Amino acid sequence: MTWSITTLEEWNPIAKWILENKKHAVIQLKGEMGAGKTSFTAVLLQKMNAKDEVSSPTYAIVNEYDTERGSVYHFDLYRLKDISELEALGFYEYLDSGNLCIIEWAELFPEAFEGTDYHTLEIVEINGKRNISFS
């Protein structure tokens, strides 16, 4: 599925569609710095009635949110140097939990997702428009 948006409000129907159509508990978010990965996550979690305000997990590496649909784990792998840091975080236990895991910069560690079913949401910004694909 693909969309093209220019405003933050336009994330709402996309988030709703994803919640209604996702089949896997892992969503990889791909896009350049500032593309809107955390903004998308905030809208998605708002649709799930998260109890906490969403923030980027850049320094914490993972943020946990309580929602009406259970816990959601939001990762940012940008600052990690190698896959051993994922293991130290207990990353695979999060993936195996069955709870929704939203992962920014997953493309830095493709080997971490071997054998894992996941969706990919890619955001490409061109001239103020964000082109979004979900697969």
Side-chain angles (χ1 to χ4, degrees):
M1 190 70 170
T2 60
W3 301 268
S4 183
I5 66 171
T6 56
T7 67
L8 185 60
E9 292 77 28
E10 290 174 294
W11 275 121
N12 285 303
I14 297 169
K16 182 177 186 268
W17 185 91
I18 288 171
L19 286 172
E20 291 171 353
N21 291 283
K22 74 174 184 57
K23 295 176 182 74
H24 308 298
V26 176
I27 300 175
Q28 295 183 355
L29 303 182
K30 295 184 178 182
E32 295 297 319
M33 195 82 67
K37 297 180 294 292
T38 300
S39 295
F40 162 76
T41 302
V43 172
L44 187 74
L45 288 171
Q46 179 184 20
K47 294 270 180 232
M48 297 175 74
N49 294 315
K51 296 169 179 58
D52 302 304
E53 188 172 325
V54 175
S55 62
S56 175
T58 300
Y59 295 101
I61 310 299
V62 61
N63 290 339
E64 180 178 352
Y65 298 100
D66 290 322
T67 75
E68 288 181 349
R69 298 181 185 200
S71 293
V72 174
Y73 305 111
H74 180 201
F75 294 85
D76 184 331
L77 308 184
Y78 186 76
R79 294 180 56 241
L80 299 182
K81 306 255 187 283
D82 63 60
I83 199 160
S84 67
E85 292 179 271
L86 286 176
E87 294 165 3
L89 285 169
F91 181 74
Y92 299 104
E93 286 80 11
Y94 287 108
L95 288 186
D96 292 340
S97 71
N99 292 319
L100 179 59
C101 294
I102 301 169
I103 305 164
E104 298 184 29
W105 300 103
E107 64 270 25
L108 297 176
F109 300 99
E111 65 274 21
F113 299 94
E114 291 175 2
T116 301
D117 292 327
Y118 59 85
H119 290 290
T120 300
L121 182 118
E122 185 169 9
I123 307 165
V124 177
E125 186 178 5
I126 301 172
N127 298 327
K129 258 189 190 174
R130 285 176 170 76
N131 296 313
I132 296 118
S133 62
F134 184 78
S135 57

